Amino acid sequence: MRKLFSEQNIEKVRKSVSRRIILLGLGKMTLIGILAWRMRKLQIEDSEKYRLQAEENRINMRLIPPERGLILDTRRKELAVNIGNYKLVITREETSNPKETLVKLSKLIDLDDKEIEKILSNISKISPFVPITIAEHLSWESFSKVVLNLPALPGISPEMGLTRHYKKPTSIAHVVGYVGPVSKKDLEKFDNPDPVLQIPKFQIGKTGVERELEETLRGKASLSKVEVNATGRIIRETERISGFSGATLQLTLDNELQEYAYQRLSGLCASSVLMEVNSGKIMSLSSVPTFDPNQFVLGISQKYWDSLLNNKLRPLSNKAVSGAYPPASTLKMAVALSALESGILSKNETFECPGHFDLGDQRFHCWKKKGGHGKMDLKQAIAQSCDVYFWELARKVGIERIGNTAKSLGLGTKFDLPLSSITQGLMPTKSWKKKKFDQPWRVGDTLNAAVGQGFTLASPLQLAVMTSRIASGKAIEPQLIKSIDGINKIQKEFADLNYNKSSLEIIRNGMFLSVNNAKGTAYKSRIMDEETAMAGKTGTSQVRRISMIERETGVLKNEDLPWEKRDHAIFVAYAPFKNPKYAVAIIIEHGGSGAQAAAPIGRDILLNAFYYNRKSIS
Amino acid sequence: MFIFKNADEGNINFIRKLLFFHWPLAILILATGAFGILMLYSVAGGSMLPWAEPQLIRFIVGFGGMIIIGFIHIDFWRSLTIPAYIGSILLLIAVMFYGEGAGAQRWIDLKVIRLQPSEIMKVTLIMALTLYYSLIPISRKSSPLWLIPPLALIFLPTFLVFSQPDLGTSLLILISGFAVMFLAGVNIWYFIVGAFAGAGLVSAVFLSRNTSWQFLTDYQMGRIDVYLNPSLDPLGAGYHITQSKIALGSGGLSGRGFMQGTQSQLDFLPEKHTDFIFTTLAEEFGYFGSLGLLIIYALMVIFCLLSAAKNQYKFGALLTSGLAVMFFLYFFINMAMVMGLAPVVGVPLPLISWGGSAMLVLLGAFGLIQSAHVHQPRG
């Protein structure tokens, strides 16, 4: 043992300890070096990234929704406005017993146990200082009842927001459309959605003008930058960027005329368009049956929604612009114009109508089968709507010329209006048929097209534009927006259609006779007053094929047919004849004959426009 | 009995002790403590309460205690080694029955102070091991039979702390113990083999996952998972590391200014006054601040190691270097943890984090280092 403790040994042990200390020290310094390197990486190299993240942590953007632009009629009468949305919110940290508060509240407003459970589970998930909505769109009565009892309802606070409201909702529903809470699907449609759309239940346009001019009406949200702490509580506002309200939209629509058209059509499945001949301003655009857009704003009930969807009269569809119908005899003006303009038909050329037209072994029947119309000139052919006359013309003119003329009059054209699902209609051509059915064009197709049957389709809007163009000779475009925030948006000048005045004159006279000649199809609906006398054209579009057997035994009358097999009644007109001011087009689905069903309504809509204008002037 | 040159038998008078005192080390301790109180003032939003003032009082008490311990002869402390070790083991056992703490039983409430026996254990274990190696024949230090007692001394407290459960502290105890064995000169091959065995154990821990013999609790496994991939749970467990890195990084070169750190002032930082206080410091004082603190810590370790290397008295030398390792482990694990280099294991930043036990124990340990330094044999 002694030897172990010799001086030499002690020295050796000491040295070994020192060596180990140095070894360990070096290890430590290496590790400290790693720490220093890591600090450098975090605090110098990646500093910018982390600084940004710290800012993102700290700064919250709060959006203050903008007020939606108003929609007015042509006389600045309000159609769509924003009204107070009375809301109640609950803040958990302000009440010791949220359940008790809600139960008390349920005695004042409509709030069942299920809803209470849902609210309670919602508030337990979020920070205690974040208020959540219990009820909105409350009536003033129940809202004031709650406000009166606030001292007994800890945690509840009243709030007022804004919500869309439509005046005269049913008559304007299809034009103005409606707003609803923004959905996930809506958000997907935007490439770079405005952050305001992220606000829960933010209202955006779903159909009609509300949708098509959404960005104009929406405005821009104010942005409040707030500093928040880790739990999200606001410490202070650091910056505010103010936005602006949506633009006020003035439509060309006249609320009074709109309301009248709606009333006059009610009970039918029909649509009408009334426009100013020379300016293209749409004065009324009506589609019935209709719906209540306010229901959509408040959150539509399943029952109401089902009733709209299951109604075979399609109340949600704006038939005036999206309905495509065979234009029937109203297309005859286009056939006549193309014949006159191409020089195939001279002014006074006549044809004999024996009541039918033979093409090879196929026989086409004029609507007046018994004895036919006899000897016809063009004016009378329009007035009496003689099919045989137009078949003769069509065969000579050919489908291409008819099609071009019809297009120049606005058929087969999709007009640029801020409305939903505007149809292009259809003016068939040879190449179209080849492409669509891989079949050659037949003369029979031309004959069908000439009387607006077969493939040809048009909407009431297109027919109204056609009538305006015939009456004015100009390429009138329909207008719906009068001004945005007071800035006029009406197009003033329209190009000339470059048709001979004399050709147009003959057509116009034919239309005049159609209403004012005793033999004319719409004679019963004429306007007696010479000042406002109208020119028009009826149309009856067949929706079924009349079989040979039926022809033998006698064609069934519309009244004897089930509703969906009856003819569509069509009428187009303008007035006054001498100095055209208004044009109207109306289609009544399965309404029967154009002369009997549509013409009187067309006349009334025109007369009402005159009457109302005179009244408002004086 | 004394095999090495003995420490002076208390012949040096008070003035000489004052002269031999390791003042540079004491000043660095003072600076670190002041830094800590400053940070506690900042994280309280510019208030002495609730943290800065009590911490200041404790620091003054602890610093005074350190000086007193330093002035008492090292052999007195050496003679206390065995009762101190047994005492802390008993306290660790007591904490299992009477302890309190969030999720883990760590503290004993002694009314005056909430005691964390695991903190005391770190020091008494090092003392016990040091005593062991200063007593046994040098030639036996590496023989397998003579390895059993020190390993028993290490594993007993490690196990007790681990079962609290406190993974961080138990690792700290384990590594400190091995470090003392290493310093005592135990054959280096044991450590190399041990390191491989440790690596094997770690893989066994991972392999044991979701089996009936899983070693760690789900809570501990979760922390390791999140460390390996913080994005797993950005708002839950990974939140600590993510927010901590944001705070550190956003500090940049010169920091956001005293009390201007948004991460800490707006409460994005978790545990900002305890384990994560370094992030506040780094956010408000930037790279200069954090590197500065690291340099201070490094200097403290270097001072201790130099003192140990020069010390002719084996018990003193071994004790000083062992305690230096423990101190090093504190700040290394804490900093590595908040910088995302190590799992979040719950180790405070020495002399800065809020908390009584750890700071008082550390100051006591520095008192022992001072005592060893003052009372070393001087030729």
Side-chain angles (χ1 to χ4, degrees):
Chain A
M1 277 303 263
R2 270 267 137 225
K3 216 177 162 196
L4 244 155
F5 303 134
S6 69
E7 280 294 316
Q8 198 190 0
N9 240 342
I10 289 166
E11 196 51 33
K12 217 170 109 190
V13 167
R14 231 194 55 76
K15 266 189 184 157
S16 114
V17 171
S18 301
R19 217 171 34 235
R20 289 284 166 103
I21 288 174
I22 291 163
L23 213 58
L24 208 68
L26 285 176
K28 283 178 192 168
M29 291 309 132
T30 312
L31 291 176
I32 287 173
I34 291 173
L35 288 183
W37 163 81
R38 179 68 172 177
M39 277 175 197
R40 213 190 92 81
K41 165 98 177 123
L42 286 174
Q43 297 197 278
I44 311 282
E45 282 172 37
D46 299 342
S47 174
E48 209 143 307
K49 177 180 111 191
Y50 289 118
R51 183 69 66 101
L52 213 71
Q53 288 183 6
E55 285 302 292
E56 276 169 17
N57 263 346
R58 180 176 78 96
I59 300 295
N60 249 6
M61 305 287 192
R62 306 242 149 185
L63 288 167
I64 300 150
E67 193 174 330
R68 198 172 174 83
L70 302 180
I71 301 178
L72 311 175
D73 88 336
T74 189
R75 292 166 205 271
R76 306 197 66 82
K77 210 171 265 177
E78 289 170 338
L79 301 178
V81 293
N82 303 309
I83 57 164
N85 172 15
Y86 301 112
K87 289 197 278 191
L88 294 175
V89 298
I90 184 164
T91 315
R92 180 155 54 107
E93 67 176 3
E94 286 165 11
T95 169
S96 53
N97 188 346
K99 186 165 185 181
E100 195 189 304
T101 302
L102 287 172
V103 169
K104 269 194 218 161
L105 185 68
S106 69
K107 285 170 192 154
L108 296 172
I109 63 165
D110 220 9
L111 200 67
D112 59 38
D113 290 348
K114 237 182 176 174
E115 283 171 280
I116 290 178
E117 283 306 311
K118 205 175 152 197
I119 294 163
L120 286 174
S121 90
N122 282 345
I123 54 175
S124 63
K125 282 179 207 145
I126 55 166
S127 304
F129 55 86
V130 178
I132 74 156
T133 304
I134 305 169
E136 55 178 347
H137 304 300
L138 289 172
S139 69
W140 171 247
E141 198 187 336
S142 41
F143 185 70
S144 52
K145 236 194 276 174
V146 173
V147 173
L148 209 64
N149 287 295
L150 275 183
L153 298 164
I156 304 283
S157 17
E159 261 185 22
M160 212 180 90
L162 285 175
T163 187
R164 204 57 155 174
H165 179 73
Y166 301 102
K167 296 183 169 178
K168 307 267 181 175
T170 44
S171 67
I172 59 162
H174 291 110
V175 178
V176 172
Y178 55 83
V179 297
V182 61
S183 67
K184 258 193 195 151
K185 237 169 126 192
D186 294 327
L187 282 175
E188 279 163 13
K189 274 182 236 150
F190 300 99
D191 285 337
N192 192 11
D194 189 323
V196 74
L197 298 178
Q198 312 278 1
I199 296 178
K201 293 196 172 176
F202 184 77
Q203 295 178 332
I204 68 161
K206 299 280 184 175
T207 64
V209 170
E210 291 273 32
R211 179 200 169 109
E212 302 303 319
L213 293 176
E214 165 64 26
E215 316 238 308
T216 312
L217 288 165
R218 189 193 302 151
K220 197 163 166 45
S222 300
L223 194 66
S224 164
K225 285 190 178 180
V226 290
E227 191 174 79
V228 296
N229 70 7
T231 52
R233 194 187 290 272
I234 297 171
I235 307 295
R236 66 194 171 99
E237 184 176 62
T238 57
E239 198 183 350
R240 183 180 276 242
I241 302 160
S242 46
F244 48 83
S245 310
T248 300
L249 214 63
Q250 191 185 9
L251 304 182
T252 59
L253 227 56
D254 190 311
N255 189 37
E256 296 288 332
L257 302 183
Q258 180 74 13
E259 191 70 12
Y260 178 82
Y262 163 65
Q263 299 290 357
R264 188 66 183 82
L265 291 173
S266 64
L268 302 168
C269 178
S271 56
S272 73
V273 175
L274 173 73
M275 59 193 279
E276 262 186 19
V277 167
N278 294 304
S279 67
K281 285 186 206 165
I282 294 172
M283 310 300 292
S284 81
L285 190 145
S286 214
S287 174
V288 292
T290 177
F291 61 93
D292 180 2
N294 284 327
Q295 297 279 337
F296 284 86
V297 179
L298 298 174
I300 190 165
S301 71
Q302 191 64 40
K303 203 174 142 197
Y304 187 53
W305 176 242
D306 287 342
S307 78
L308 292 176
L309 278 188
N310 297 332
N311 190 335
K312 65 178 175 183
L313 306 185
R314 309 186 316 285
L316 288 171
S317 154
N318 182 4
K319 300 178 193 84
V321 299
S322 20
Y325 307 90
S329 302
T330 56
L331 195 76
K332 284 173 179 163
M333 281 84 83
V335 179
L337 191 58
S338 62
L340 286 169
E341 285 293 304
S342 61
I344 282 163
L345 180 73
S346 66
K347 237 189 254 179
N348 297 312
E349 201 169 334
T350 56
F351 289 101
E352 176 74 25
C353 168
H356 56 82
F357 179 87
D358 292 322
L359 180 70
D361 56 353
Q362 242 183 318
R363 173 161 283 195
F364 288 74
H365 292 273
C366 187
W367 65 272
K368 194 176 179 185
K369 208 178 82 179
K370 276 188 192 154
H373 289 93
K375 213 174 167 73
M376 297 259 95
D377 68 358
L378 180 57
K379 285 185 218 169
Q380 277 303 324
I382 294 175
Q384 297 182 34
S385 203
C386 174
D387 290 342
V388 173
Y389 188 98
F390 285 94
W391 284 325
E392 291 282 358
L393 283 191
R395 191 165 58 167
K396 289 180 182 164
V397 179
I399 187 65
E400 294 304 324
R401 281 190 204 145
I402 295 172
N404 287 340
T405 309
K407 273 186 186 151
S408 77
L409 292 176
L411 301 179
T413 311
K414 191 173 173 182
F415 293 108
D416 182 26
L417 285 177
L419 292 170
S420 300
S421 2
I422 297 176
T423 182
Q424 192 178 355
L426 181 64
M427 267 318 293
T429 58
K430 287 176 182 172
S431 56
W432 171 84
K433 193 186 174 191
K434 180 87 189 143
K435 210 169 137 192
K436 178 96 178 173
F437 298 105
D438 196 24
Q439 277 173 12
W441 187 265
R442 299 203 167 83
V443 182
D445 293 326
T446 308
L447 301 189
N448 269 332
V451 294
Q453 295 283 166
F455 303 121
T456 323
L457 294 170
S459 68
L461 173 71
Q462 287 171 328
L463 294 180
V465 171
M466 178 190 82
T467 311
S468 294
R469 288 185 179 184
I470 290 170
S472 67
K474 291 192 168 154
I476 304 296
E477 290 280 329
Q479 314 278 316
L480 189 59
I481 304 303
K482 190 172 180 184
S483 72
I484 294 174
D485 261 346
I487 298 159
N488 186 40
K489 294 286 169 187
I490 292 291
Q491 189 181 341
K492 291 219 172 71
E493 292 297 318
F494 298 99
D496 204 281
L497 284 171
N498 286 325
Y499 288 126
N500 283 319
K501 278 223 168 76
S502 59
S503 312
L504 287 169
E505 212 46 51
I506 292 169
I507 311 272
R508 289 171 193 154
N509 277 318
M511 289 172 75
F512 181 74
L513 292 178
S514 167
V515 181
N516 296 291
N517 185 291
K519 283 187 173 173
T521 50
Y523 181 65
K524 282 179 188 159
S525 302
R526 70 194 178 282
I527 296 174
M528 311 280 194
D529 180 6
E530 225 174 282
E531 287 299 303
T532 51
M534 70 172 172
K537 180 78 196 80
T538 59
T540 304
S541 73
Q542 215 173 282
V543 293
R544 65 197 180 102
R545 204 182 171 83
I546 298 170
S547 66
M548 286 301 286
I549 299 159
E550 195 182 332
R551 288 211 187 275
E552 302 285 309
T553 55
V555 176
L556 287 167
K557 285 189 174 161
N558 269 312
E559 299 87 276
D560 302 331
L561 287 165
W563 181 78
E564 59 274 5
K565 288 199 173 160
R566 292 180 195 169
D567 301 331
H568 294 322
I570 306 176
F571 186 63
V572 299
Y574 67 87
F577 173 65
K578 284 176 194 163
N579 179 25
K581 189 159 164 56
Y582 299 120
V584 70
I586 164 164
I587 295 182
I588 304 167
E589 285 186 20
H590 310 295
S593 92
Q596 277 173 25
I601 298 177
R603 173 202 59 202
D604 290 352
I605 288 173
L606 282 174
L607 274 179
N608 178 64
F610 286 122
Y611 168 73
Y612 175 68
N613 257 359
R614 213 166 286 157
K615 195 177 77 177
S616 65
I617 288 163
S618 64
Chain B
M1 185 68 209
F2 295 115
I3 42 179
F4 290 103
K5 278 182 193 165
N6 240 339
D8 274 324
E9 321 267 306
N11 288 348
I12 48 171
N13 58 30
F14 184 76
I15 306 290
R16 286 194 66 191
K17 283 189 183 186
L18 215 56
L19 211 64
F20 289 143
F21 214 74
H22 202 316
W23 288 113
L25 183 61
I27 287 165
L28 288 179
I29 290 168
L30 212 55
T32 314
F35 222 165
I37 287 153
L38 205 63
M39 288 333 295
L40 288 172
Y41 175 80
S42 170
V43 294
S47 160
M48 287 305 285
L49 287 171
W51 300 309
E53 198 182 291
Q55 183 89 342
L56 179 63
I57 293 165
R58 274 200 296 257
F59 185 75
I60 290 168
V61 170
F63 197 77
M66 177 191 90
I67 291 173
I68 293 166
I69 293 170
F71 273 61
I72 294 171
H73 199 283
I74 187 70
D75 280 335
F76 172 73
W77 301 117
R78 186 180 191 258
S79 64
L80 280 185
T81 300
I82 293 163
Y85 180 84
I86 293 169
S88 16
I89 291 287
L90 290 176
L91 277 174
L92 274 180
I93 293 167
V95 91
M96 294 177 84
F97 297 104
Y98 306 108
E100 46 196 86
Q105 296 195 321
R106 293 176 188 176
W107 299 299
I108 292 180
D109 200 343
L110 294 181
K111 304 295 169 206
V112 202
I113 185 171
R114 288 213 302 173
L115 199 64
Q116 207 172 329
S118 57
E119 295 291 337
I120 302 171
M121 192 69 239
K122 288 176 201 164
V123 177
T124 53
L125 171 67
I126 292 170
M127 285 171 77
L129 290 168
T130 304
L131 182 68
Y132 176 77
Y133 281 108
S134 66
L135 287 178
I136 65 159
I138 286 91
S139 56
R140 302 291 156 81
K141 67 184 183 220
S142 290
S143 73
L145 209 64
W146 291 83
L147 284 179
I148 294 169
L151 286 178
L153 287 175
I154 293 170
F155 281 117
L156 180 63
T158 302
F159 170 75
L160 287 172
V161 173
F162 178 76
S163 57
Q164 278 179 355
D166 185 349
L167 182 64
T169 312
S170 67
L171 273 175
L172 246 155
I173 290 172
L174 193 72
I175 300 170
S176 314
F178 289 151
V180 175
M181 289 173 74
F182 176 81
L183 286 165
V186 174
N187 195 320
I188 203 149
W189 284 104
Y190 285 116
F191 297 95
I192 294 169
V193 171
F196 276 105
L201 188 72
V202 169
S203 20
V205 163
F206 277 94
L207 287 173
S208 76
R209 191 139 199 210
N210 297 328
T211 64
S212 52
W213 46 282
Q214 182 170 322
F215 292 122
L216 299 179
T217 63
D218 287 340
Y219 159 78
Q220 288 161 332
M221 287 305 286
R223 276 185 151 190
I224 293 172
D225 275 347
V226 171
Y227 158 68
L228 296 173
N229 185 7
S231 60
L232 273 181
D233 189 8
L235 289 175
Y239 179 83
H240 287 205
I241 292 166
T242 309
Q243 294 300 336
S244 161
K245 276 159 79 176
I246 291 174
L248 273 154
S250 67
L253 186 67
S254 55
R256 312 205 72 171
F258 182 53
M259 297 201 5
Q260 302 298 311
T262 59
Q263 285 288 103
S264 53
Q265 301 296 337
L266 295 170
D267 293 334
F268 286 101
L269 286 175
E271 310 274 336
K272 57 180 181 177
H273 60 292
T274 56
D275 292 355
F276 281 77
I277 196 163
F278 179 63
T279 52
T280 305
L281 187 148
E283 186 187 22
E284 300 192 348
F285 296 109
Y287 186 56
F288 293 142
S290 52
L291 192 68
L293 181 70
L294 187 64
I295 290 170
I296 291 177
Y297 280 149
L299 280 177
M300 285 162 79
V301 171
I302 290 169
F303 285 163
C304 291
L305 292 182
L306 283 179
S307 159
K310 276 191 214 147
N311 201 333
Q312 308 273 313
Y313 184 42
K314 191 177 178 185
F315 180 81
L318 216 47
L319 185 65
T320 302
S321 48
L323 291 173
V325 169
M326 180 196 82
F327 174 71
F328 167 81
L329 285 174
Y330 260 111
F331 75 81
F332 176 77
I333 292 179
N334 179 278
M335 284 182 169
M337 164 181 104
V338 300
M339 287 194 284
L341 289 174
V344 178
V345 286
V347 172
L349 189 65
L351 302 176
I352 292 187
S353 283
W354 160 259
S357 295
M359 192 177 70
L360 290 176
V361 166
L362 263 168
L363 287 170
F366 277 113
L368 291 175
I369 290 171
Q370 291 286 8
S371 170
H373 185 77
V374 170
H375 301 97
Q376 66 182 300
R378 287 188 165 79

